[in-house]
Amino acid sequence: MGRFYITTPIYYVNDAPHLGHSYTTVTADAIARWHRLLGDDTIFLTGTDEHGLKVARSAEEQGRTPIEQADETSARFVEAWDLLDISNDQFIRTTEPRHHAATQALLSKAKENGYIEKGTYAGWYCVGCEAYYVEDDLLDGNCCPIHERPAEWLEEDNYFFKLSAFEDRLTEWLTADGNVVPDGKRNEALGIVKQGLDDVSITRSSLDWGVPVPWDPEHVFYVWYDALINYATAVGYGADDASFADWWPHAHHVIGKDILRFHCVYWPAMLMAAGEEPPSSVHVHGFLLLKGKKMSKTGLTQITPAQLVNDLGVDGTRYYLLRDVPFGSDSDVSFSSMVGRYNSDLANNLGNLLNRVTTVVVKKCDGVGPAPQRDSELAAVAERAYEETAAAWDRFQPSVALDATWNLVRETNAYLERHEPWKMDAGSAEVAAVLGDALEVLRLAAVLASPALTRTTVEIWSRIGLDGGPADQRLPEAAAWGGYPGGLPVVKGAPLFPRLDAVSEDD
Ligand code: MSP
């Protein structure tokens, strides 16, 4: 038991939430839920990144003010996260006064410490990325390599952050195990530092949609340098020192690989400049790809979070994202793989187990669930499943964790097939023994799968007669074999995961 502070990137408000954002958010949500099961005092933060040229321009194109744009789009993120049962404790908006204050405090501290100075900057800027590029990184025609649109030449007087002063400390931090995960991404960050770091411009005078620079109000901070600070704002930086001191050592960031440089190089250096420690860890995931291309607004019009929830349910959508996309790698997504995963793991395994067990308990035990056998052959399987599940959640590997939990479900279905309780005599000790074991597995699976399946695990819990809910349990105690007390009313309800028709074509 301890403290656990987990964050998602804060999303730009120029555009609506899509499946890529949902992937990061559902992942962080499930990890937060796992830590709550462990009894950790947990803060889960998400929110929106509302400043910068990209948002200002997109507002202008739509004939509204940046704050109107931010209010409207930020609300859409809140809505999407409600739809996906995201359990964030805070939703931060960078336009909030508390965030302006924290940004100004942190960067003033870095300046006081001698790491911010005035200078002139000229360079190629991509508004889509909100970042400057060196000429060598641009494509033909000076196009941004990500957006494939021409970068713009910008020249301005602004303040520079002395990133170059942190090469050694960053190398040391990046070299230590567990700070940036997985290793491939850590090496990428190390590579950036090894190439040599230039000082970076952190303010803009050509724009006023941002956090004002407190010592020079003609300038606002460049959007990334305000955005990153959201993680510190939310736990009290500059406003509640005790809270910040309590929580900051437990900060874990979940991000996509597109923003590695900012989180694994710039952000730890900014913290060092302000006299703070870097975050406890940064976990970097790959991209969801649609037919090999990064998901974007256009590629995603076919697969929006709302559409998926409509087709697969909240739990079906969450399960797919967590189970099918190995954290750290790029992964192709398609509607047919979603349906395949749903049918095999949810309908045919977990759903089938619940269905069989409740049907036979109703028929052969008068609807009263028997207790498990103390020396069941499934006890060892359950113990291993717990250990593997716990270790994988601890390593931020939801797909491995869920696979370990599902091993227990699969083994229990095989156990039922071997023993065939549906052929045994009603009311016999024999049938009670097999069904008691299977009910115990349903109890365990409901707890272990609850970070992913927020709704159906609650339903399983109540159908097998248990009080409270799986998310109210505490690990590791609740993982010990034998927790199902027996003597509880068991009901057979409608299938939890009605099978979906297979689709032959991917959208
Ligand atoms: N506002 C910045 C982040 C600031 S954090 C201090 C930003 N916002 S974003 O809206 O563009 O969201 C980027 C994040 O969304 C990625 O890092 C990733 O977590 C998620 N994804 C966006 N597209 C994605 C995929 N196609 N696949 C997986 N995740 C993706 O960058």
Side-chain angles (χ1 to χ4, degrees):
M1 214 177 111
R3 282 202 164 87
F4 186 72
Y5 173 33
I6 185 165
T7 68
T8 71
I10 47 171
Y11 304 107
Y12 286 130
V13 290
N14 62 311
D15 218 340
H18 62 57
L19 201 59
H21 305 132
S22 307
Y23 171 66
T24 314
T25 309
V26 167
T27 299
D29 178 65
I31 294 168
R33 286 172 183 270
W34 177 263
H35 279 268
R36 293 190 194 112
L37 280 176
L38 293 176
D40 285 344
D41 203 0
T42 300
I43 297 182
F44 168 26
L45 171 73
T46 188
T48 41
D49 187 354
E50 308 192 350
H51 294 126
L53 200 49
K54 186 169 160 131
V55 172
R57 286 220 179 139
S58 129
E60 201 178 294
E61 276 161 22
Q62 295 174 58
R64 51 189 177 185
T65 61
I67 192 66
E68 283 167 351
Q69 162 91 11
D71 285 345
E72 202 256 351
T73 316
S74 185
R76 293 178 73 178
F77 277 92
V78 172
E79 232 171 72
W81 303 155
D82 278 351
L83 188 71
L84 288 167
D85 276 356
I86 301 303
S87 64
N88 53 299
D89 299 287
Q90 285 195 46
F91 187 99
I92 193 167
R93 299 184 55 186
T94 53
T95 45
E96 289 174 53
R98 64 166 174 161
H99 177 66
H100 281 221
T103 301
Q104 293 175 334
L106 193 139
L107 291 165
S108 298
K109 192 85 196 178
K111 183 162 185 288
E112 263 167 54
N113 292 344
Y115 295 113
I116 293 179
E117 276 176 359
K118 202 167 187 179
T120 306
Y121 197 88
W124 294 103
Y125 192 78
C126 169
V127 177
C129 300
E130 292 281 16
Y132 277 104
Y133 276 91
V134 289
E135 201 148 339
D136 284 355
D137 290 340
L138 295 174
L139 307 174
D140 282 351
N142 287 339
C143 284
C144 156
I146 293 176
H147 294 88
E148 296 176 13
R149 282 197 306 258
E152 299 171 29
W153 184 256
L154 284 192
E155 241 180 77
E156 51 185 345
D157 256 1
N158 49 31
Y159 289 89
F160 282 76
F161 172 51
K162 290 172 128 184
L163 184 62
S164 56
F166 296 94
E167 282 179 13
D168 292 347
R169 284 181 65 191
L170 283 171
T171 304
E172 193 186 321
W173 182 70
L174 287 166
T175 310
D177 273 343
N179 288 341
V180 172
V181 185
D183 269 351
K185 300 291 192 279
R186 178 249 294 267
N187 291 337
E188 204 176 311
L190 265 174
I192 295 171
V193 179
K194 278 196 186 123
Q195 271 177 11
L197 298 174
D198 291 332
D199 294 343
V200 287
S201 124
I202 61 162
T203 63
R204 299 282 176 272
S205 52
S206 50
L207 173 82
D208 59 8
W209 183 234
V211 177
V213 173
W215 59 85
D216 190 344
E218 293 292 288
H219 295 249
V220 296
F221 288 112
Y222 165 45
V223 59
W224 266 104
Y225 295 89
D226 112 48
L228 288 160
I229 295 169
N230 90 87
Y231 304 130
T233 308
V235 288
Y237 185 86
D240 181 345
D241 293 344
S243 157
F244 185 74
D246 281 346
W247 284 98
W248 190 249
H250 310 284
H252 303 274
H253 302 317
V254 174
I255 61 161
K257 66 178 187 180
D258 50 336
I259 53 179
L260 173 137
R261 171 188 293 267
F262 289 102
H263 283 80
C264 303
V265 180
Y266 297 9
W267 177 225
M270 284 163 70
L271 285 159
M272 290 169 188
E276 303 295 344
E277 288 298 316
S280 177
S281 71
V282 183
H283 291 261
V284 188
H285 66 70
F287 283 152
L288 304 191
L289 307 171
L290 271 184
K291 298 190 172 153
K293 285 201 91 175
K294 181 181 176 226
M295 283 194 161
S296 63
K297 183 178 130 204
T298 39
L300 276 171
T301 47
Q302 312 254 332
I303 312 184
T304 64
Q307 172 73 52
L308 269 192
V309 166
N310 187 50
D311 292 342
L312 303 175
V314 172
D315 284 4
T317 304
R318 291 175 59 100
Y319 185 79
Y320 174 75
L321 292 172
L322 293 165
R323 173 63 189 87
D324 234 59
V325 183
F327 191 95
S329 323
D330 288 354
S331 186
D332 259 308
V333 300
S334 66
F335 199 63
S336 66
S337 64
M338 293 176 194
V339 170
R341 181 58 77 182
Y342 173 98
N343 282 339
S344 71
D345 290 13
L346 299 179
N348 296 350
N349 265 299
L350 184 60
N352 188 26
L353 180 63
L354 177 72
N355 200 39
R356 283 167 143 177
V357 173
T358 52
T359 304
V360 188
V361 172
V362 167
K363 263 201 199 146
K364 308 261 172 178
C365 308
D366 281 338
V368 179
Q373 310 175 81
R374 210 186 281 212
D375 56 354
S376 167
E377 62 184 90
L378 289 177
V381 181
E383 192 180 336
R384 200 181 59 241
Y386 174 65
E387 278 164 13
E388 290 174 5
T389 300
W393 282 115
D394 191 50
R395 297 194 314 270
F396 288 55
Q397 289 288 341
S399 65
V400 180
L402 292 170
D403 190 38
T405 301
W406 255 253
N407 270 337
L408 175 62
V409 175
R410 284 188 287 266
E411 293 275 340
T412 307
N413 272 319
Y415 175 79
L416 292 179
E417 270 143 37
R418 278 200 307 281
H419 293 280
E420 301 187 305
W422 41 87
K423 291 189 180 163
M424 292 173 175
D425 289 339
S428 64
E430 231 194 346
V431 82
V434 175
L435 292 173
D437 289 352
L439 284 162
E440 170 63 348
V441 167
L442 283 168
R443 182 191 71 83
L444 287 166
V447 176
L448 300 184
S450 64
L453 307 179
T454 53
R455 300 185 174 196
T456 44
T457 51
V458 175
E459 186 60 28
I460 294 173
W461 200 257
S462 80
R463 285 194 194 178
I464 63 174
L466 290 164
D467 284 338
D472 305 326
Q473 309 309 305
R474 283 295 156 267
L475 294 172
E477 298 79 4
W481 182 261
Y484 186 71
L488 302 179
V490 170
V491 294
K492 179 177 156 39
L496 278 192
F497 304 104
R499 271 187 72 85
L500 297 173
D501 290 337
V503 281
S504 51
E505 245 174 70
D506 294 345
D507 286 322

